[in-house]
Amino acid sequence: MTHGMRTDTHSPHLDGDRGNWRDTATRYSLLPLRVFLGITFIYAGLDKLTDGAFLNDSGAGSIGDTMRAVRDSSAIPALVDLSLKSPTGFGYAMAFGEVAVGIGTLLGVLTRLAALGGALISLSLWLTVSWASDPYYYGNDLVYLMAWLPLVLAGAPVLSLDAAWRSRRRLRSGGFR
């Protein structure tokens, strides 16, 4: 009896070859995270910009009073002190930063950079505003920080302007890259 190499292929799917659904699922796996974080950060930034009280130096619901309230319980009081030098300016920077991060993430524009910005915003909020959460997992900023990390590492490989630009560069260089 002779043993030869099989040249036929066998589909792992019962209903025929549908393409490799696992590869497709893997390729698109970060898309729900991108959409969620993008929309959430755009909403958070716009919410701050349209809130009549948030951007004030003091008063109920203001960024200034919030930062003064968390100063002594934060991990890095000096970071809070820095924001208190100009609470309104810090509030605007935070709001516009969130909108920029959200748009970049949602559209997939400089996604790794946008995700790094989102991670830094979440890290700063965790070390200041939600640091005193007990137990620690009640503070949502730590969860957001961890959610940003896969996007920092992987970027936006599909349905993004980054992917379109990468494909365009590949075509221009003759398929190499």
Side-chain angles (χ1 to χ4, degrees), residues 20-32 154-158:
N20 192 339
W21 66 271
R22 287 187 184 126
D23 288 344
T24 302
T26 299
R27 197 170 39 249
Y28 288 89
S29 64
L30 292 178
L31 190 56
V158 295

Side-chain angles (χ1 to χ4, degrees), residues 57-101:
D57 286 348
S58 61
S62 69
I63 183 68
D65 279 4
T66 300
M67 298 313 287
R68 280 187 281 281
V70 301
R71 189 214 178 269
D72 293 333
S73 63
S74 72
I76 307 175
L79 193 58
V80 177
D81 290 339
L82 185 63
S83 72
L84 286 172
K85 289 185 182 208
S86 176
T88 300
F90 177 74
Y92 275 110
M94 178 69 74
F96 285 122
E98 287 173 340
V99 170
V101 162

